[in-house]
Amino acid sequence: MDTTPSSALSSSYLLLISLLCCLPLLLHGGDDDSPLDQTCGDTGNYTANSTYESNLSQLLHTLSSVASVSDGFSNASTGESLDQVFGLALCRGDNNATDCRTCLDGASNDTQQLCPYHKEAVIWYDDCLLKYSNQNFTSAFDNSEQAVLYNINNITGERFPGYTQNTTIKNFFNQVVNTLLSDVADSAASNSNSGKLFATGELTITNGFPTIYGLAQCAPDMPGTECRQCLQAEINETLNYFDGRIGGRVLGIWCNLRYEVYPFYYGRSMFVGVPSYCS
Ligand SMILES: *[C@@H]1O[C@H](CO)[C@@H](O)[C@H](O)[C@H]1NC(C)=O
Ligand SMILES: *[C@@H]1O[C@H](CO)[C@@H](O)[C@H](O)[C@H]1NC(C)=O
Ligand SMILES: *[C@@H]1O[C@H](CO)[C@@H](O)[C@H](O)[C@H]1NC(C)=O
Ligand SMILES: *[C@@H]1O[C@H](CO)[C@@H](O)[C@H](O)[C@H]1NC(C)=O
Ligand SMILES: *[C@@H]1O[C@H](CO)[C@@H](O)[C@H](O)[C@H]1NC(C)=O
Ligand SMILES: *[C@@H]1O[C@H](CO)[C@@H](O)[C@H](O)[C@H]1NC(C)=O
Ligand SMILES: *[C@@H]1O[C@H](CO)[C@@H](O)[C@H](O)[C@H]1NC(C)=O
Ligand SMILES: *[C@@H]1O[C@H](CO)[C@@H](O)[C@H](O)[C@H]1NC(C)=O
Ligand SMILES: *[C@@H]1O[C@H](CO)[C@@H](O)[C@H](O)[C@H]1NC(C)=O
Ligand SMILES: *[C@@H]1O[C@H](CO)[C@@H](O)[C@H](O)[C@H]1NC(C)=O
C-alpha cells in the first residue's frame, strides 16, 4: 500500500496535518482548546435575530448542559418546521463534566465565529465534538462526515528483530496498530465503561519498539454492533491514510479513534495488551 494519503482521499474527507510531531512529550493534546477542524454546512443560512438563531442558541445551551452530566453525550432538537435545529454533542470519554462543558461552550462560541449564520456546522476538538443542522441527521448513524489527522513522522528502523516474518518495520508497525485498534474497538463496543462506549489501551512489544496507545469511542446510545461496525470502517481507513505514520486519528460524528506513540488520554490505559503473534 504505497498510496499517498492525499490521492486516497475522496472529496467528502478532510485532511489535516497534525503538528503533534513537534510536541512529542505533550501528554494531553486537550491542553490546547483550539478546533482541530470544522466544516460549515451548505444547507442554508439564517439571518440575525431570526427564530432559527434563537432556537439554535437555546439548543447549544441544552447540548452543553445535558452532555456534561449525561455520559458526555447529548442529542436534541429545538423549534419547529423550518426553524427546527437538530444537534449532537459528544465529549471524550476520559473528560470530567467540567472539561466537557468547557469544551462544548467553547465549541458553541467558535462555530458562531467560524461559520457565522450557517444553519449547519460541525466542529472537532481534542475533548469534544459538536454538530448542529436544520437537517434531521440524528435519526441515522451516518458517519461519512469526518476529519482525518496524522503525525507527519513515520516509524523508522530496521526489520523488527524478534519477528520471524520477512517484513518491514513499517508493515510490522501497521499490524501492531491494527491489533491495538481492533482490541480497543472491541472493548469500546462492549460498553463496559459505565454507560460510555469508550476504551483506551496500550501495546508494548519490547524496549526497542515504541509503546502504542489507542483510544476508541462511539456515541453512547449506539447499539454495540453498530458501534463496532462504525469503528471498523475507521480502522479500515487507517490502513489507507496512516501507512507507517506514528500517530493518527479518524474523527467522525458517531465514532472516532486515535493512536499515538505517547500517552494522550487521562488516567491509566483500560487494558495493556500483547500482540498475539509475539506471545
Ligand atoms: C451563507 O453565507 C456564506 C457567507 O457567510 C456564503 O458563503 C454562503 O454562500 C451562504 N449560503 C447560502 C446557502 O446562502
Ligand atoms: C438584532 O438585535 C439586536 C439587539 O436587539 C440589535 O441591536 C440588532 O440591530 C438586530 N439586528 C438585526 C439585523 O435586526
Ligand atoms: C424557537 O424560537 C422562537 C423565537 O424566539 C421561540 O418563540 C420558540 O419558543 C423557540 N422554540 C423552542 C422550542 O424553544
Ligand atoms: C476535571 O479534570 C481536570 C483535568 O483535566 C482537573 O483539573 C479538574 O480538577 C477536574 N474537575 C473535577 C470537578 O473533577
Ligand atoms: C463565549 O463568548 C461569550 C461572548 O463572546 C463570552 O462571554 C464567553 O466567555 C465565551 N465562552 C467561552 C467558553 O469561550
Ligand atoms: C427524524 O427522522 C426520523 C426518521 O425519519 C423520524 O422518526 C423522527 O421523528 C425525526 N425527528 C424529528 C424530531 O423530526
Ligand atoms: C436522537 O434523538 C431523536 C429524538 O429523540 C431520536 O429519535 C433518535 O433516535 C436519537 N438518535 C440517536 C442516534 O440517539
Ligand atoms: C512519511 O512517509 C510518507 C509516505 O511514504 C512520505 O510522504 C513522508 O514524507 C514521510 N514523512 C517524513 C517526515 O519523512
Ligand atoms: C527479505 O525481503 C527482502 C526484500 O523483499 C529481500 O531482499 C531479502 O532477501 C529477504 N530476506 C529473507 C531472509 O528472506
Ligand atoms: C473492513 O475491511 C475488511 C477487509 O477488507 C472488510 O471485510 C470489511 O467489510 C470492512 N469493514 C467495514 C465496516 O468497512
Side-chain angles (χ1 to χ4, degrees):
M1 230 17 121
D2 287 319
T3 331
T4 61
S6 55
S7 71
L9 284 180
S10 78
S11 57
S12 59
Y13 293 101
L14 296 159
L15 182 68
L16 294 181
I17 308 300
S18 166
L19 294 176
L20 286 174
C21 62
C22 311
L23 302 166
L25 296 178
L26 181 67
L27 284 189
H28 304 295
D31 291 347
D32 180 1
D33 59 4
S34 55
L36 297 169
D37 196 12
Q38 78 278 333
T39 306
C40 306
D42 56 3
T43 60
N45 291 344
Y46 60 86
T47 51
N49 302 340
S50 61
T51 305
Y52 192 91
E53 180 178 68
S54 150
N55 292 339
L56 172 60
S57 143
Q58 194 187 323
L59 176 74
L60 293 174
H61 182 74
T62 302
L63 290 173
S64 173
S65 12
V66 172
S68 56
V69 295
S70 317
D71 290 328
F73 176 70
S74 177
N75 156 30
S77 105
T78 312
E80 286 174 345
S81 138
L82 291 177
D83 293 317
Q84 185 169 17
V85 197
F86 299 84
L88 178 150
L90 179 64
C91 290
R92 210 171 75 182
D94 56 337
N95 276 339
N96 60 30
T98 312
D99 289 339
C100 179
R101 186 157 198 153
T102 302
C103 187
L104 290 173
D105 287 346
S108 298
N109 272 18
D110 288 350
T111 50
Q112 307 304 293
Q113 309 291 321
L114 295 164
C115 303
Y117 302 115
H118 283 258
K119 286 188 170 177
E120 178 179 282
V122 54
I123 191 160
W124 288 274
Y125 298 81
D126 274 326
D127 287 348
C128 69
L129 80 90
L130 171 71
K131 176 171 178 171
Y132 56 80
S133 178
N134 57 336
Q135 311 287 308
N136 180 357
F137 73 95
T138 57
S139 61
F141 300 122
D142 177 356
N143 202 51
S144 58
E145 205 165 11
Q146 295 182 340
V148 176
L149 296 87
Y150 55 76
N151 192 304
I152 59 169
N153 292 318
N154 303 304
I155 190 78
T156 55
E158 295 303 312
R159 198 160 73 80
F160 183 60
Y163 193 52
T164 49
Q165 284 177 35
N166 186 8
T167 188
T168 60
I169 196 86
K170 189 178 77 171
N171 290 342
F172 178 76
F173 181 79
N174 289 343
Q175 249 176 300
V176 176
V177 167
N178 194 261
T179 300
L180 173 62
L181 291 178
S182 298
D183 289 350
V184 175
D186 286 345
S187 178
S190 72
N191 191 17
S192 46
N193 183 31
S194 63
K196 295 179 184 180
L197 296 176
F198 172 75
T200 59
E202 64 184 80
L203 264 181
T204 302
I205 296 163
T206 69
N207 289 339
F209 198 77
T211 296
I212 309 173
Y213 300 83
L215 174 155
Q217 181 170 23
C218 297
D221 62 346
M222 268 180 123
T225 48
E226 304 260 8
C227 169
R228 188 63 184 79
Q229 196 176 355
C230 185
L231 290 169
Q232 187 58 47
E234 293 186 345
I235 291 172
N236 284 4
E237 291 176 47
T238 66
L239 296 174
N240 296 328
Y241 292 140
F242 305 143
D243 189 22
R245 305 281 188 181
I246 59 170
R249 326 180 193 193
V250 182
L251 309 175
I253 303 295
W254 296 102
C255 69
N256 61 81
L257 57 79
R258 179 178 178 186
Y259 72 93
E260 305 285 354
V261 294
Y262 59 89
F264 59 91
Y265 37 79
Y266 298 114
R268 290 177 181 278
S269 299
M270 292 157 77
F271 68 82
V272 178
V274 176
S276 53
Y277 40 80
C278 283
S279 56

